[in-house]
Amino acid sequence: MPTPRKGPHLASSPAHERLMLANMATSLFEHGRIVTTLPKAKRLRPVAERLITFAKKGDLAHRRRVMRVIRNKSIVHKLFTEIAEQMKQREGGYTRIVKIAAAKGNNAPRAIIELVTEPVSAKQSVVKEAEASAAAAVDKAQVEETEAKAQKSAAKAAETKTDKAVDEAEAKETEVNADVAADKAEVKKTEAKDADAKAKKAPAKKSAAKKADKEEK
């Protein structure tokens, strides 16, 4: 046999306990409050609050999940339309447990579990608004910081690209200057060769001219 769980046993079996909690949740949503024993109220509280959380989401899937627990369609409609609207400003703590006098017969501890229908206080609203504003400011600061980093990276990349282009231009200019200098040197070398050839031809012409003068005489 399975090991019995710790804590008080509310029913004869787990199935019986689930059915009992479903009936209690139905009564709670119908009347707004019920009187029961303290252990049952403590066990009912998370079940009821989870169903209210489903109702606040309001879609068909969560409505079907609620219908698995609460079979009364009119109570489900009330939960999704009235109770969920009342709990819209709350983010938890939808129920309240108040201890009352013990039962007269067996002296069992009793309690009232009820829905918290009071509107959220102005102070809590201000705190929530301040928290939301602070969260929005943090998100905006993070976005601005990310954009600044992106702009800085883009500027750095552009600067690197510009430096690279400048280096390439300087290298190309140096190469062009070297080619020009080489061409000038080649031209000078050619001119020097031509001058040398002319110088070699000049004595021969002079000798021929002298010989011609002697023959005339």
Short mmCIF file of all heavy atoms in Angstrom, two decimals, residues 92-133:
data_model
loop_
_atom_site.label_atom_id
_atom_site.label_comp_id
_atom_site.label_asym_id
_atom_site.label_seq_id
_atom_site.Cartn_x
_atom_site.Cartn_y
_atom_site.Cartn_z
N GLY A 92 -2.33 38.51 -6.39
CA GLY A 92 -2.29 37.38 -5.45
C GLY A 92 -3.08 37.73 -4.21
O GLY A 92 -3.58 38.85 -4.05
N GLY A 93 -3.22 36.76 -3.31
CA GLY A 93 -3.97 37.03 -2.09
C GLY A 93 -5.44 37.26 -2.36
O GLY A 93 -6.02 38.23 -1.87
N TYR A 94 -6.04 36.36 -3.15
CA TYR A 94 -7.45 36.54 -3.51
C TYR A 94 -8.41 36.10 -2.41
O TYR A 94 -9.58 36.45 -2.44
CB TYR A 94 -7.77 35.76 -4.78
CG TYR A 94 -6.82 36.04 -5.92
CD1 TYR A 94 -6.13 35.02 -6.55
CD2 TYR A 94 -6.63 37.35 -6.37
CE1 TYR A 94 -5.26 35.27 -7.59
CE2 TYR A 94 -5.76 37.61 -7.42
CZ TYR A 94 -5.07 36.57 -8.02
OH TYR A 94 -4.20 36.83 -9.04
N THR A 95 -7.92 35.33 -1.46
CA THR A 95 -8.78 34.84 -0.38
C THR A 95 -8.20 35.21 0.98
O THR A 95 -7.01 35.51 1.10
CB THR A 95 -8.94 33.30 -0.46
OG1 THR A 95 -7.64 32.69 -0.38
CG2 THR A 95 -9.60 32.89 -1.77
N ARG A 96 -9.07 35.15 1.98
CA ARG A 96 -8.68 35.49 3.35
C ARG A 96 -9.25 34.44 4.30
O ARG A 96 -10.40 34.03 4.14
CB ARG A 96 -9.22 36.88 3.70
CG ARG A 96 -8.92 37.32 5.14
CD ARG A 96 -9.71 38.56 5.51
NE ARG A 96 -9.41 39.69 4.65
CZ ARG A 96 -10.28 40.34 3.92
NH1 ARG A 96 -11.57 39.96 3.96
NH2 ARG A 96 -9.95 41.36 3.16
N ILE A 97 -8.45 34.00 5.27
CA ILE A 97 -8.89 33.03 6.28
C ILE A 97 -8.95 33.74 7.63
O ILE A 97 -7.95 34.32 8.08
CB ILE A 97 -7.95 31.82 6.34
CG1 ILE A 97 -7.99 31.04 5.02
CG2 ILE A 97 -8.35 30.90 7.49
CD1 ILE A 97 -7.03 29.87 4.98
N VAL A 98 -10.10 33.68 8.25
CA VAL A 98 -10.30 34.30 9.57
C VAL A 98 -10.72 33.20 10.54
O VAL A 98 -11.73 32.52 10.33
CB VAL A 98 -11.39 35.39 9.51
CG1 VAL A 98 -11.57 36.02 10.89
CG2 VAL A 98 -11.02 36.46 8.47
N LYS A 99 -9.96 33.05 11.60
CA LYS A 99 -10.29 32.02 12.60
C LYS A 99 -11.48 32.48 13.45
O LYS A 99 -11.58 33.65 13.81
CB LYS A 99 -9.09 31.74 13.50
CG LYS A 99 -7.90 31.12 12.78
CD LYS A 99 -6.76 30.86 13.73
CE LYS A 99 -5.55 30.28 13.01
NZ LYS A 99 -4.42 30.04 13.94
N ILE A 100 -12.33 31.53 13.78
CA ILE A 100 -13.49 31.81 14.65
C ILE A 100 -13.51 30.79 15.78
O ILE A 100 -12.60 29.95 15.89
CB ILE A 100 -14.81 31.79 13.84
CG1 ILE A 100 -15.00 30.43 13.17
CG2 ILE A 100 -14.82 32.90 12.80
CD1 ILE A 100 -16.33 30.30 12.45
N ALA A 101 -14.55 30.86 16.60
CA ALA A 101 -14.64 29.96 17.75
C ALA A 101 -14.72 28.51 17.29
O ALA A 101 -15.26 28.19 16.23
CB ALA A 101 -15.87 30.32 18.59
N ALA A 102 -14.19 27.63 18.13
CA ALA A 102 -14.19 26.20 17.80
C ALA A 102 -15.61 25.65 17.84
O ALA A 102 -16.53 26.23 18.44
CB ALA A 102 -13.30 25.46 18.78
N ALA A 103 -15.79 24.53 17.17
CA ALA A 103 -17.10 23.88 17.15
C ALA A 103 -17.47 23.41 18.56
O ALA A 103 -16.61 22.97 19.33
CB ALA A 103 -17.07 22.72 16.17
N LYS A 104 -18.74 23.46 18.88
CA LYS A 104 -19.19 23.10 20.23
C LYS A 104 -19.12 21.60 20.48
O LYS A 104 -18.83 21.15 21.58
CB LYS A 104 -20.60 23.61 20.45
CG LYS A 104 -20.71 25.12 20.50
CD LYS A 104 -22.14 25.57 20.78
CE LYS A 104 -22.24 27.07 20.86
NZ LYS A 104 -23.63 27.54 21.12
N GLY A 105 -19.42 20.81 19.46
CA GLY A 105 -19.49 19.37 19.70
C GLY A 105 -18.14 18.72 19.92
O GLY A 105 -17.86 18.15 20.97
N ASN A 106 -17.26 18.84 18.94
CA ASN A 106 -15.95 18.16 19.00
C ASN A 106 -14.78 19.12 19.20
O ASN A 106 -13.62 18.71 19.13
CB ASN A 106 -15.73 17.36 17.71
CG ASN A 106 -15.84 18.23 16.47
OD1 ASN A 106 -16.04 19.43 16.58
ND2 ASN A 106 -15.75 17.61 15.30
N ASN A 107 -15.08 20.39 19.41
CA ASN A 107 -14.05 21.41 19.67
C ASN A 107 -13.05 21.54 18.49
O ASN A 107 -11.89 21.88 18.69
CB ASN A 107 -13.29 21.10 20.96
CG ASN A 107 -12.62 22.35 21.53
OD1 ASN A 107 -13.09 23.46 21.33
ND2 ASN A 107 -11.52 22.16 22.26
N ALA A 108 -13.53 21.28 17.28
CA ALA A 108 -12.67 21.40 16.09
C ALA A 108 -12.45 22.86 15.75
O ALA A 108 -13.39 23.67 15.84
CB ALA A 108 -13.32 20.68 14.91
N PRO A 109 -11.23 23.24 15.37
CA PRO A 109 -10.97 24.64 15.01
C PRO A 109 -11.72 25.00 13.73
O PRO A 109 -11.66 24.28 12.72
CB PRO A 109 -9.46 24.68 14.81
CG PRO A 109 -9.08 23.29 14.49
CD PRO A 109 -10.02 22.40 15.24
N ARG A 110 -12.42 26.11 13.76
CA ARG A 110 -13.18 26.55 12.60
C ARG A 110 -12.63 27.88 12.08
O ARG A 110 -11.93 28.60 12.80
CB ARG A 110 -14.66 26.71 12.96
CG ARG A 110 -15.37 25.41 13.32
CD ARG A 110 -16.87 25.62 13.33
NE ARG A 110 -17.27 26.72 14.21
CZ ARG A 110 -18.47 27.31 14.19
NH1 ARG A 110 -19.38 26.91 13.29
NH2 ARG A 110 -18.75 28.28 15.02
N ALA A 111 -12.97 28.16 10.83
CA ALA A 111 -12.49 29.40 10.21
C ALA A 111 -13.45 29.79 9.10
O ALA A 111 -14.22 28.98 8.59
CB ALA A 111 -11.09 29.21 9.66
N ILE A 112 -13.39 31.06 8.76
CA ILE A 112 -14.14 31.59 7.62
C ILE A 112 -13.13 31.86 6.50
O ILE A 112 -12.14 32.56 6.71
CB ILE A 112 -14.88 32.89 7.99
CG1 ILE A 112 -15.91 32.63 9.09
CG2 ILE A 112 -15.54 33.50 6.76
CD1 ILE A 112 -16.57 33.91 9.59
N ILE A 113 -13.39 31.30 5.35
CA ILE A 113 -12.58 31.62 4.17
C ILE A 113 -13.46 32.43 3.23
O ILE A 113 -14.59 32.04 2.92
CB ILE A 113 -12.02 30.35 3.49
CG1 ILE A 113 -11.20 30.75 2.25
CG2 ILE A 113 -13.11 29.36 3.15
CD1 ILE A 113 -10.41 29.59 1.66
N GLU A 114 -12.97 33.57 2.80
CA GLU A 114 -13.77 34.49 1.99
C GLU A 114 -12.91 35.12 0.91
O GLU A 114 -11.67 35.15 1.00
CB GLU A 114 -14.38 35.57 2.86
CG GLU A 114 -13.37 36.41 3.61
CD GLU A 114 -14.02 37.41 4.56
OE1 GLU A 114 -15.26 37.42 4.61
OE2 GLU A 114 -13.29 38.16 5.22
N LEU A 115 -13.57 35.63 -0.11
CA LEU A 115 -12.89 36.33 -1.19
C LEU A 115 -12.56 37.75 -0.77
O LEU A 115 -13.37 38.41 -0.11
CB LEU A 115 -13.77 36.35 -2.45
CG LEU A 115 -14.16 34.99 -3.04
CD1 LEU A 115 -15.12 35.19 -4.21
CD2 LEU A 115 -12.94 34.22 -3.48
N VAL A 116 -11.41 38.22 -1.14
CA VAL A 116 -11.00 39.59 -0.83
C VAL A 116 -11.48 40.47 -1.98
O VAL A 116 -10.87 40.54 -3.05
CB VAL A 116 -9.47 39.69 -0.67
CG1 VAL A 116 -9.08 41.12 -0.32
CG2 VAL A 116 -8.99 38.73 0.40
N THR A 117 -12.60 41.12 -1.77
CA THR A 117 -13.22 41.92 -2.82
C THR A 117 -12.95 43.42 -2.67
O THR A 117 -13.39 44.20 -3.51
CB THR A 117 -14.74 41.69 -2.83
OG1 THR A 117 -15.27 42.01 -1.53
CG2 THR A 117 -15.07 40.25 -3.17
N GLU A 118 -12.25 43.80 -1.60
CA GLU A 118 -11.97 45.22 -1.41
C GLU A 118 -11.04 45.71 -2.51
O GLU A 118 -10.12 45.00 -2.94
CB GLU A 118 -11.34 45.50 -0.05
CG GLU A 118 -12.23 45.20 1.13
CD GLU A 118 -12.16 43.73 1.53
OE1 GLU A 118 -11.42 42.98 0.85
OE2 GLU A 118 -12.82 43.34 2.49
N PRO A 119 -11.22 46.94 -2.99
CA PRO A 119 -10.31 47.47 -4.01
C PRO A 119 -8.91 47.67 -3.44
O PRO A 119 -8.73 47.86 -2.23
CB PRO A 119 -10.96 48.81 -4.41
CG PRO A 119 -11.78 49.19 -3.23
CD PRO A 119 -12.29 47.90 -2.64
N VAL A 120 -7.96 47.61 -4.30
CA VAL A 120 -6.57 47.82 -3.89
C VAL A 120 -6.42 49.25 -3.39
O VAL A 120 -6.94 50.20 -4.00
CB VAL A 120 -5.61 47.55 -5.07
CG1 VAL A 120 -4.17 47.78 -4.64
CG2 VAL A 120 -5.79 46.14 -5.58
N SER A 121 -5.75 49.43 -2.24
CA SER A 121 -5.61 50.76 -1.65
C SER A 121 -4.80 51.68 -2.56
O SER A 121 -4.03 51.24 -3.41
CB SER A 121 -4.93 50.66 -0.28
OG SER A 121 -3.61 50.16 -0.42
N ALA A 122 -5.01 52.98 -2.34
CA ALA A 122 -4.30 53.96 -3.17
C ALA A 122 -2.79 53.85 -2.98
O ALA A 122 -2.02 54.03 -3.93
CB ALA A 122 -4.77 55.37 -2.80
N LYS A 123 -2.38 53.54 -1.75
CA LYS A 123 -0.95 53.42 -1.49
C LYS A 123 -0.35 52.28 -2.29
O LYS A 123 0.72 52.41 -2.90
CB LYS A 123 -0.73 53.19 0.01
CG LYS A 123 0.74 53.14 0.41
CD LYS A 123 0.89 52.98 1.90
CE LYS A 123 2.37 52.92 2.30
NZ LYS A 123 2.52 52.75 3.77
N GLN A 124 -1.04 51.15 -2.32
CA GLN A 124 -0.54 50.02 -3.10
C GLN A 124 -0.53 50.34 -4.59
O GLN A 124 0.38 49.95 -5.31
CB GLN A 124 -1.41 48.79 -2.83
CG GLN A 124 -1.26 48.23 -1.41
CD GLN A 124 -2.17 47.05 -1.18
OE1 GLN A 124 -3.03 46.75 -1.99
NE2 GLN A 124 -1.96 46.36 -0.07
N SER A 125 -1.56 51.09 -5.05
CA SER A 125 -1.60 51.48 -6.46
C SER A 125 -0.41 52.37 -6.81
O SER A 125 0.23 52.20 -7.86
CB SER A 125 -2.90 52.21 -6.77
OG SER A 125 -4.02 51.39 -6.50
N VAL A 126 -0.10 53.32 -5.90
CA VAL A 126 1.04 54.20 -6.14
C VAL A 126 2.34 53.41 -6.16
O VAL A 126 3.21 53.63 -7.01
CB VAL A 126 1.09 55.30 -5.07
CG1 VAL A 126 2.39 56.09 -5.17
CG2 VAL A 126 -0.10 56.23 -5.21
N VAL A 127 2.45 52.46 -5.23
CA VAL A 127 3.66 51.64 -5.18
C VAL A 127 3.81 50.83 -6.46
O VAL A 127 4.90 50.74 -7.05
CB VAL A 127 3.63 50.72 -3.94
CG1 VAL A 127 4.76 49.70 -4.02
CG2 VAL A 127 3.75 51.54 -2.67
N LYS A 128 2.70 50.25 -6.92
CA LYS A 128 2.76 49.46 -8.15
C LYS A 128 3.10 50.33 -9.35
O LYS A 128 3.89 49.94 -10.21
CB LYS A 128 1.42 48.76 -8.38
CG LYS A 128 1.16 47.61 -7.40
CD LYS A 128 -0.15 46.93 -7.71
CE LYS A 128 -0.39 45.77 -6.74
NZ LYS A 128 -1.68 45.07 -7.02
N GLU A 129 2.52 51.52 -9.41
CA GLU A 129 2.84 52.43 -10.51
C GLU A 129 4.31 52.83 -10.47
O GLU A 129 4.97 52.92 -11.52
CB GLU A 129 1.95 53.67 -10.45
CG GLU A 129 0.49 53.40 -10.79
CD GLU A 129 -0.36 54.65 -10.69
OE1 GLU A 129 0.22 55.71 -10.35
OE2 GLU A 129 -1.57 54.58 -10.95
N ALA A 130 4.81 53.09 -9.24
CA ALA A 130 6.21 53.47 -9.11
C ALA A 130 7.11 52.31 -9.54
O ALA A 130 8.13 52.50 -10.22
CB ALA A 130 6.52 53.86 -7.66
N GLU A 131 6.75 51.08 -9.15
CA GLU A 131 7.54 49.92 -9.56
C GLU A 131 7.50 49.74 -11.07
O GLU A 131 8.53 49.45 -11.70
CB GLU A 131 7.01 48.66 -8.86
CG GLU A 131 7.27 48.64 -7.35
CD GLU A 131 6.67 47.41 -6.70
OE1 GLU A 131 5.93 46.68 -7.38
OE2 GLU A 131 6.95 47.18 -5.50
N ALA A 132 6.31 49.93 -11.65
CA ALA A 132 6.20 49.80 -13.11
C ALA A 132 7.03 50.88 -13.81
O ALA A 132 7.72 50.60 -14.81
CB ALA A 132 4.74 49.90 -13.53
N SER A 133 6.99 52.13 -13.28
CA SER A 133 7.77 53.21 -13.87
C SER A 133 9.26 52.94 -13.75
O SER A 133 10.03 53.17 -14.69
CB SER A 133 7.42 54.54 -13.20
OG SER A 133 6.05 54.84 -13.35
#
